[in-house]
Amino acid sequence: MKTQFLHTAIIFSLSLFCFSCSSKDTTPIPQPAPYTEQPAPQPAETPAPPVSSNTSGDPGLKLIEGADCLACHKIDAKLIGPSYQDVAAKYTDADMDQLAQKIIEGGKGNWGDIPMTPHEGLNKEDAKQMVKYILSLKKQ
């Protein structure tokens, strides 16, 4: 008897659903206006990040741009890793070898739990050029 009641309830529900969907008094769907040629919106130019004027052609910056560094670091704001300006504020020229080695070997702990990936393909001199550029961003 329970199954007969269940079958009846299901049939009734399906019938009700079908009848409610077939109503003739529906609200029309708005149609878009005919196509008129409009100029494509121009992307707004974003200003370049503030960089010290003496570093625009810096070889360290070129190495940074050629590597994957900018995926995790920005010059003036924290992204995944610290901003380059924050790194420059924390370290001095005396730390150049240590920082160059950190770029090559990677690691974690100095700026939180997210590790920096190693860049084993970089030679020590290129890594030092990158560090030299980063340290040049120290806020005056």
Side-chain angles (χ1 to χ4, degrees):
M1 182 147 182
K2 282 185 178 180
T3 56
Q4 186 179 7
F5 175 77
L6 184 60
H7 287 270
T8 305
I10 291 172
I11 291 171
F12 178 74
S13 298
L14 287 173
S15 299
L16 185 63
F17 177 72
C18 289
F19 287 118
S20 68
C21 292
S22 65
S23 175
K24 297 289 182 190
D25 60 332
T26 60
T27 306
I29 299 173
Q31 298 296 318
Y35 176 74
T36 58
E37 181 134 356
Q38 297 176 358
Q42 298 297 320
E45 286 191 34
T46 55
V51 178
S52 174
S53 62
N54 62 350
T55 60
S56 60
D58 191 286
L61 175 59
K62 292 192 185 310
L63 288 166
I64 287 171
E65 291 172 339
D68 63 348
C69 305
L70 296 175
C72 297
H73 299 278
K74 290 177 75 176
I75 290 174
D76 59 350
K78 178 179 180 5
L79 195 56
I80 294 171
S83 74
Y84 289 142
Q85 288 176 342
D86 289 342
V87 173
K90 184 174 181 177
Y91 296 99
T92 67
D93 289 341
D95 300 310
M96 190 172 297
D97 285 329
Q98 172 197 352
L99 293 173
Q101 199 62 38
K102 186 70 134 181
I103 291 172
I104 294 169
E105 294 176 356
K108 74 174 190 174
N110 293 357
W111 295 93
D113 291 334
I114 298 174
M116 183 170 80
T117 57
H119 299 84
E120 295 163 338
L122 275 177
N123 65 48
K124 185 94 174 205
E125 289 307 310
D126 286 347
K128 281 184 178 182
Q129 285 293 320
M130 296 164 97
V131 172
K132 184 177 176 184
Y133 167 74
I134 293 168
L135 294 179
S136 75
L137 299 172
K138 189 178 298 275
K139 293 179 184 177
Q140 306 283 323

